[in-house]
Amino acid sequence: MVIMGLVVLILFAAPGFVERALLQDLILILMLIGLAQCWNLLAGYAGLISVGQQAFVGVGAYGMFYVVIMMGADPLLSVLISAVFVALLSIPVGLVVFRLQGAYFAVVTWVVAEVFRLIAAIWPALGGGTGTALPRSATSEMIGLDFAAELFGVRSAAAREIVIYWGALAVVAMIVIVAYFMLRSRLGLALSAIKDGEIAAESVGIDINGTKFLVYVFAAFGAGLIGALYFLQQARVSPDAAFSVIDWTAYVIFIVVIGGLGTIEGPIIGAIVFVLLRSWFSSFGPWYLMFLGLLAIVMMLFAPKGLWGMFSSATNIRLFPTRKRLERDDRE
């Protein structure tokens, strides 16, 4: 945790010594780490394969726009309000999707996301199918804007990106810390038991659905935060962008598979690798997407534990050890 604290402090000060283009890449990496951690909690620990996390990303984005435009709230405050709304919304949604299991669960999560996308497309108050943009006054008077501008001596546009970067850093740190302590708690022990065998876990009194439901709601809250922050940076939202299954689910699954499913470190490594690959090969068009798919298949066949899993097995290094081990004392 000390190492993580030092890393966070360095990243907090990064706007003072990195170029603006690199800062934008860091914002993207942080947001992808946050989404990947949430999906990893679902699939890697709770055994819930969701292909509809874009539902909560999109609702988080539209919720933020609604609070800013209709209620005149500060954008950063609106991000938090929207994420809380997403978490509350995930409760009735979860009551529906949890009635199904396995492949049916995955399909119904995607259907729910499509329903939300269609609702956004016919919502005239926020632009309907073409979407809408944030008013300039909202982004120019955001909390922390003057502080960032004075601290780094930059103009308002650059200061806005710095504030959003700090917001993304805070969100990702929160998600990682909560995930770590969650997995180290009794809830984590329950998830480990469920992962090893649901029948055996239920036989010792573990509430399987209740445990999974808590993870589902937290993952929705995290996705709502990331969605609101991302589209705050873009200052414009549309149904196709906010509810994109490729951007917010397919890429995230790729990140977790490459980095390592069922580890906290894996999504961090996977997000960095994904952004690097995208910057190097995106000019190849469709071939770039085919390369990502081929790489994911190769990793699943020959390195199912992902990049971090291979490294951890070879070195026995774990930055976020989530399982408690009983040490044997040979002197007795």
XYZ file of all heavy atoms in Angstrom, residues 19-71:
401
model
N 3.643 16.070 -21.098
C 2.987 16.821 -22.158
C 1.487 16.573 -22.140
O 1.006 15.569 -21.600
C 3.568 16.420 -23.514
C 5.047 16.753 -23.660
C 5.582 16.354 -25.012
O 4.818 15.730 -25.800
O 6.760 16.649 -25.297
N 0.756 17.476 -22.770
C -0.703 17.385 -22.752
C -1.201 16.116 -23.438
O -2.164 15.503 -22.990
C -1.305 18.621 -23.426
C -2.808 18.724 -23.280
C -3.322 20.046 -23.807
N -4.768 20.121 -23.706
C -5.484 21.156 -24.116
N -4.861 22.220 -24.627
N -6.805 21.152 -23.995
N -0.530 15.704 -24.539
C -0.937 14.491 -25.240
C -0.786 13.268 -24.350
O -1.652 12.387 -24.330
C -0.121 14.326 -26.521
N 0.319 13.206 -23.592
C 0.525 12.086 -22.679
C -0.486 12.124 -21.546
O -0.957 11.072 -21.088
C 1.946 12.130 -22.119
C 2.318 11.024 -21.125
C 2.089 9.651 -21.732
C 3.768 11.183 -20.655
N -0.846 13.334 -21.088
C -1.859 13.448 -20.036
C -3.197 12.892 -20.513
O -3.900 12.217 -19.754
C -2.005 14.909 -19.617
C -2.911 15.160 -18.401
C -2.278 14.598 -17.139
C -3.185 16.652 -18.225
N -3.553 13.140 -21.767
C -4.783 12.598 -22.319
C -4.737 11.073 -22.373
O -5.735 10.403 -22.102
C -5.028 13.182 -23.710
C -5.343 14.675 -23.693
C -5.411 15.278 -25.077
O -4.972 14.666 -26.067
N -5.939 16.494 -25.176
N -3.574 10.519 -22.713
C -3.426 9.057 -22.701
C -3.551 8.509 -21.286
O -4.138 7.435 -21.078
C -2.076 8.654 -23.297
C -2.016 8.830 -24.801
O -3.099 8.870 -25.429
O -0.906 8.927 -25.353
N -3.008 9.236 -20.314
C -3.121 8.799 -18.926
C -4.570 8.805 -18.450
O -4.988 7.915 -17.703
C -2.264 9.698 -18.025
C -0.754 9.523 -18.112
C -0.041 10.570 -17.259
C -0.344 8.125 -17.673
N -5.330 9.805 -18.894
C -6.751 9.842 -18.545
C -7.456 8.606 -19.084
O -8.238 7.946 -18.378
C -7.414 11.118 -19.095
C -6.868 12.356 -18.379
C -8.932 11.056 -18.927
C -7.360 13.666 -18.968
N -7.179 8.265 -20.338
C -7.795 7.083 -20.944
C -7.376 5.809 -20.219
O -8.215 4.942 -19.938
C -7.419 6.997 -22.417
C -7.964 5.783 -23.179
C -9.486 5.770 -23.165
C -7.437 5.771 -24.612
N -6.089 5.700 -19.896
C -5.609 4.508 -19.187
C -6.299 4.369 -17.836
O -6.748 3.278 -17.455
C -4.077 4.573 -19.010
C -3.372 4.379 -20.353
C -3.603 3.512 -18.015
C -1.879 4.607 -20.288
N -6.408 5.467 -17.101
C -7.052 5.417 -15.789
C -8.504 4.992 -15.894
O -8.982 4.160 -15.105
C -6.948 6.786 -15.115
C -5.563 7.183 -14.593
C -5.556 8.641 -14.156
C -5.128 6.287 -13.443
N -9.215 5.541 -16.871
C -10.629 5.183 -17.015
C -10.797 3.725 -17.411
O -11.706 3.029 -16.927
C -11.285 6.109 -18.037
C -11.403 7.547 -17.547
S -12.316 8.605 -18.673
C -12.263 10.172 -17.785
N -9.924 3.230 -18.283
C -9.994 1.823 -18.670
C -9.633 0.914 -17.498
O -10.220 -0.165 -17.348
C -9.065 1.562 -19.852
C -9.508 2.155 -21.187
C -8.444 1.940 -22.260
C -10.839 1.564 -21.649
N -8.681 1.330 -16.671
C -8.351 0.546 -15.475
C -9.564 0.449 -14.562
O -9.887 -0.625 -14.039
C -7.162 1.177 -14.722
C -5.872 0.989 -15.515
C -7.013 0.554 -13.331
C -4.688 1.722 -14.916
N -10.256 1.580 -14.369
C -11.444 1.563 -13.513
C -12.521 0.642 -14.029
O -13.088 -0.175 -13.273
N -12.817 0.723 -15.328
C -13.832 -0.158 -15.916
C -13.401 -1.617 -15.857
O -14.208 -2.506 -15.565
C -14.095 0.250 -17.366
C -15.003 1.448 -17.598
C -15.094 1.763 -19.087
C -16.397 1.196 -17.029
N -12.124 -1.864 -16.157
C -11.629 -3.240 -16.159
C -11.651 -3.841 -14.757
O -11.960 -5.026 -14.592
C -10.214 -3.279 -16.731
N -11.338 -3.037 -13.739
C -11.405 -3.546 -12.365
C -12.835 -3.940 -12.007
O -13.063 -4.964 -11.353
C -10.885 -2.492 -11.384
C -9.400 -2.236 -11.426
C -8.560 -3.371 -10.873
O -9.086 -4.384 -10.396
N -7.249 -3.222 -10.932
N -13.794 -3.128 -12.428
C -15.200 -3.433 -12.136
C -15.629 -4.716 -12.832
O -16.274 -5.586 -12.232
C -16.085 -2.265 -12.565
S -15.882 -0.774 -11.569
N -15.273 -4.851 -14.128
C -15.651 -6.070 -14.850
C -14.914 -7.273 -14.291
O -15.460 -8.378 -14.229
C -15.352 -5.921 -16.337
C -16.007 -6.995 -17.164
C -17.271 -6.978 -17.671
C -15.436 -8.253 -17.555
N -17.527 -8.145 -18.358
C -16.420 -8.943 -18.299
C -14.199 -8.850 -17.358
C -16.203 -10.205 -18.848
C -13.975 -10.113 -17.889
C -14.964 -10.772 -18.624
N -13.664 -7.076 -13.858
C -12.887 -8.164 -13.281
C -13.512 -8.656 -11.977
O -13.497 -9.860 -11.686
C -11.452 -7.694 -13.038
C -10.566 -8.782 -12.497
O -10.502 -9.887 -13.019
N -9.864 -8.485 -11.414
N -14.051 -7.734 -11.183
C -14.751 -8.152 -9.971
C -15.954 -9.034 -10.313
O -16.214 -10.036 -9.641
C -15.207 -6.932 -9.174
C -14.170 -6.223 -8.303
C -14.768 -4.961 -7.713
C -13.673 -7.143 -7.196
N -16.668 -8.638 -11.361
C -17.838 -9.414 -11.768
C -17.452 -10.803 -12.266
O -17.957 -11.821 -11.783
C -18.600 -8.672 -12.867
C -19.397 -7.433 -12.474
C -19.942 -6.744 -13.717
C -20.540 -7.794 -11.533
N -16.556 -10.842 -13.264
C -16.253 -12.106 -13.928
C -15.191 -12.910 -13.192
O -15.306 -14.131 -13.064
C -15.794 -11.835 -15.365
N -14.145 -12.226 -12.714
C -13.028 -12.942 -12.116
C -13.268 -13.433 -10.711
O -12.631 -14.386 -10.271
N -14.184 -12.789 -9.991
C -14.421 -13.164 -8.599
C -15.856 -13.628 -8.346
O -16.072 -14.575 -7.603
C -14.082 -11.993 -7.679
C -12.602 -11.669 -7.657
C -12.083 -10.640 -8.423
C -11.725 -12.395 -6.868
C -10.724 -10.337 -8.413
C -10.355 -12.104 -6.845
C -9.871 -11.081 -7.624
O -8.531 -10.798 -7.622
N -16.831 -12.935 -8.947
C -18.232 -13.305 -8.706
C -18.767 -14.279 -9.751
O -19.883 -14.783 -9.591
C -19.108 -12.051 -8.678
N -18.004 -14.513 -10.818
C -18.458 -15.450 -11.843
C -19.615 -14.940 -12.680
O -20.372 -15.721 -13.234
N -19.749 -13.611 -12.788
C -20.836 -13.007 -13.566
C -20.272 -12.455 -14.870
O -19.589 -11.433 -14.879
C -21.496 -11.878 -12.764
C -22.154 -12.284 -11.440
C -22.575 -11.036 -10.664
C -23.352 -13.188 -11.687
N -20.529 -13.136 -15.968
C -20.030 -12.705 -17.273
C -21.040 -11.727 -17.870
O -22.067 -12.128 -18.416
C -19.807 -13.894 -18.222
C -18.933 -14.948 -17.543
C -19.181 -13.418 -19.522
C -17.555 -14.461 -17.165
N -20.734 -10.449 -17.750
C -21.629 -9.407 -18.258
C -21.080 -8.841 -19.558
O -19.887 -8.544 -19.664
C -21.762 -8.282 -17.227
O -22.445 -7.174 -17.775
N -21.943 -8.696 -20.545
C -21.572 -8.011 -21.788
C -22.434 -6.756 -21.932
O -22.659 -6.274 -23.044
C -21.721 -8.929 -23.025
C -20.716 -10.049 -22.996
C -23.147 -9.475 -23.135
N -22.881 -6.235 -20.793
C -23.746 -5.065 -20.831
C -23.329 -3.968 -19.882
O -24.171 -3.143 -19.477
N -22.031 -3.906 -19.515
C -21.589 -2.842 -18.617
C -21.720 -1.467 -19.251
O -21.741 -0.456 -18.550
C -20.130 -3.073 -18.196
C -19.963 -4.195 -17.185
C -20.772 -3.967 -15.922
O -21.880 -4.502 -15.783
N -20.245 -3.188 -15.007
N -21.828 -1.429 -20.598
C -22.027 -0.139 -21.264
C -23.344 0.503 -20.853
O -23.515 1.720 -21.007
C -21.976 -0.297 -22.790
C -23.111 -1.081 -23.405
C -22.857 -2.573 -23.442
O -21.988 -3.067 -22.742
N -23.591 -3.279 -24.280
N -24.261 -0.293 -20.310
C -25.518 0.272 -19.818
C -25.247 1.283 -18.719
O -25.796 2.398 -18.716
C -26.425 -0.848 -19.299
N -24.393 0.939 -17.771
C -24.125 1.807 -16.641
C -23.175 2.942 -17.014
O -23.254 4.027 -16.441
C -23.578 0.982 -15.484
C -24.503 -0.125 -15.060
C -24.090 -1.444 -15.047
C -25.809 0.159 -14.699
C -24.947 -2.457 -14.674
C -26.686 -0.846 -14.319
C -26.258 -2.159 -14.307
N -22.283 2.685 -17.976
C -21.444 3.774 -18.488
C -22.315 4.839 -19.127
O -22.177 6.042 -18.862
C -20.419 3.237 -19.511
C -19.654 4.391 -20.163
C -19.447 2.281 -18.842
N -23.245 4.404 -19.981
C -24.128 5.344 -20.675
C -25.069 6.072 -19.753
O -25.262 7.294 -19.878
N -25.654 5.358 -18.804
C -26.567 6.007 -17.863
C -25.801 6.997 -16.996
O -26.305 8.088 -16.680
C -27.283 4.958 -16.994
C -28.089 5.635 -15.887
C -28.206 4.091 -17.845
N -24.576 6.654 -16.609
C -23.756 7.588 -15.849
C -23.477 8.859 -16.627
O -23.536 9.966 -16.084
N -23.184 8.708 -17.928
C -22.918 9.874 -18.770
C -24.163 10.737 -18.920
O -24.118 11.961 -18.728
C -22.422 9.415 -20.142
N -25.275 10.120 -19.270
C -26.509 10.882 -19.469
C -27.010 11.475 -18.160
O -27.593 12.570 -18.144
C -27.575 9.988 -20.105
C -27.564 10.062 -21.609
C -26.809 9.171 -22.359
C -28.279 11.034 -22.296
C -26.776 9.232 -23.754
C -28.267 11.110 -23.684
C -27.514 10.209 -24.401
O -27.482 10.290 -25.773
N -26.807 10.757 -17.057
C -27.206 11.310 -15.765
C -26.432 12.569 -15.434
O -27.000 13.552 -14.939
N -25.136 12.565 -15.718
C -24.313 13.742 -15.473
C -24.778 14.918 -16.332
O -24.915 16.047 -15.851
C -22.841 13.421 -15.746
C -21.871 14.551 -15.446
S -21.618 15.676 -16.840
C -20.818 14.585 -18.020
N -25.039 14.651 -17.623
C -25.504 15.713 -18.515
C -26.845 16.265 -18.044
O -27.066 17.478 -18.090
C -25.625 15.180 -19.948
C -24.360 15.312 -20.743
C -23.254 14.529 -20.446
C -24.262 16.217 -21.786
C -22.081 14.649 -21.172
C -23.101 16.351 -22.520
C -22.000 15.559 -22.212
N -27.735 15.396 -17.592
C -29.051 15.844 -17.131
C -28.905 16.760 -15.909
O -29.533 17.830 -15.845
C -29.926 14.648 -16.781
C -31.297 15.032 -16.289
C -32.342 15.268 -17.185
C -31.559 15.180 -14.927
C -33.601 15.640 -16.740
C -32.817 15.553 -14.474
C -33.833 15.781 -15.383
O -35.080 16.156 -14.939
N -28.079 16.357 -14.943
C -27.926 17.149 -13.721
C -27.295 18.502 -14.022
O -27.681 19.533 -13.459
C -27.090 16.373 -12.680
C -26.826 17.234 -11.453
C -27.817 15.098 -12.265
N -26.325 18.523 -14.958
C -25.669 19.781 -15.311
C -26.613 20.694 -16.077
O -26.774 21.881 -15.756
C -24.388 19.512 -16.141
C -23.832 20.822 -16.703
C -23.334 18.824 -15.286
N -27.262 20.153 -17.112
C -28.085 20.983 -18.009
C -29.407 21.368 -17.367
O -29.833 22.536 -17.421
C -28.313 20.257 -19.349
C -26.974 20.078 -20.079
C -29.289 21.035 -20.234
C -27.074 19.247 -21.340
N -30.078 20.414 -16.764
C -31.420 20.657 -16.247
C -31.431 21.252 -14.836
O -32.350 21.986 -14.473
C -32.224 19.349 -16.243
C -32.363 18.728 -17.617
S -33.239 19.820 -18.761
C -33.204 18.838 -20.260
N -30.395 20.935 -14.051
C -30.392 21.384 -12.665
C -29.311 22.428 -12.392
O -29.282 23.010 -11.305
C -30.204 20.173 -11.730
C -31.284 19.103 -11.902
S -30.963 17.598 -10.933
C -31.002 18.240 -9.277
